[in-house]
Amino acid sequence: MKPSRPDTADACVDLYMYERLASAGATAAREGEILKAAELLERARVMSTGPLVEGLKGPMLQRERLYRQERFLSDMEVRAELELELGRHRNAVPYLHYAVHKYPLRERFVWLLMLALYRSDRGNEALKLYSDHRARIIEEMGAEPGPSLRALHARLLSQDPELMVLPVLQPKTLPRANAGPQALQGR
């Protein structure tokens, strides 16, 4: 059974505006329109002001909140990737610091922040970030950071000049346009 949504016609509902902007941003990124994609995803980020229908309870609402949060985080990873692709490393640093602080176990944010710091001539801070993240993962999870984070760390240690031009936008992982909660159905 397909989840139903209230018919709001063309009403300006934050949730729907977010979906339209984020989907358009993902499409623009896939089509190589990086500036347009960055602008659309930034506008979408501003639309996301907090948890969906905060204060209401129910299993369906909880699933929808989880979907929305994961969608938001995926969109914001793409947004950060776009900033780095555009060469706006210093602009990405504060945003990524916030994301790493708020979602410390989300390694893609850590990876992006390490690269942004390195490209901003703050390589020592990138190495410290890795060290701190690794210590947290070992302490909390009893594991090591993932392979892509360890590989970036090794390249930072060797001061690999290719890191300055390493593409970070991953087209295969860009969110599909119009990928709504029905994509989660049956899982």
Side-chain angles (χ1 to χ4, degrees), residues 20-42 71 74-83 85-86 168-177:
R20 284 193 287 270
L21 290 167
S23 293
T27 298
R30 273 193 304 284
E31 293 173 355
E33 298 177 55
I34 296 175
L35 277 170
K36 180 180 178 182
E39 177 193 331
L40 289 165
L41 286 170
E42 178 58 18
R71 168 72 191 268
S74 293
D75 291 340
M76 293 307 98
E77 286 174 359
V78 173
R79 173 75 174 88
E81 290 171 355
L82 292 167
E83 285 296 312
E85 286 293 323
L86 291 167
V168 294
L169 195 58
Q170 301 175 349
K172 66 181 187 278
T173 63
L174 290 176
R176 288 180 296 128

Side-chain angles (χ1 to χ4, degrees), residues 147-158:
S148 63
L149 202 57
R150 290 193 317 266
L152 178 61
H153 177 249
R155 292 178 77 179
L156 288 173
L157 286 172
S158 69

Side-chain angles (χ1 to χ4, degrees), residues 8-9 20 31 35 40 62 71 91 109 111 113 128 143 151 159 161 163 173 175-176 185:
T8 58
R20 284 193 287 270
E31 293 173 355
L35 277 170
L40 289 165
Q62 187 56 32
R71 168 72 191 268
N91 292 350
F109 283 136
W111 191 97
L113 178 55
K128 172 121 175 58
Q159 297 184 351
L163 288 175
T173 63
R176 288 180 296 128
Q185 221 171 346

Side-chain angles (χ1 to χ4, degrees), residues 52-67:
L52 178 69
V53 289
E54 190 171 22
L56 297 179
K57 295 184 177 173
M60 208 162 130
L61 286 175
Q62 187 56 32
R63 285 191 303 271
E64 186 70 14
R65 278 188 203 103
L66 178 61
Y67 166 77

Side-chain angles (χ1 to χ4, degrees), residues 80 83-84 87-98 100 109-133 149 152 156 163-164 168:
E83 285 296 312
L84 293 178
R88 301 191 296 211
H89 323 300
R90 287 178 173 84
N91 292 350
V93 168
Y95 163 75
L96 286 166
H97 265 298
Y98 172 80
V100 166
F109 283 136
V110 176
W111 191 97
L112 289 165
L113 178 55
M114 286 172 59
L115 186 61
L117 287 168
Y118 181 79
R119 288 181 176 179
S120 300
D121 297 321
R122 297 166 65 181
N124 289 336
E125 290 176 60
L127 293 172
K128 172 121 175 58
L129 174 65
Y130 177 83
S131 176
D132 293 347
H133 178 74
L149 202 57
L152 178 61
L156 288 173
L163 288 175
M164 296 306 281
V168 294

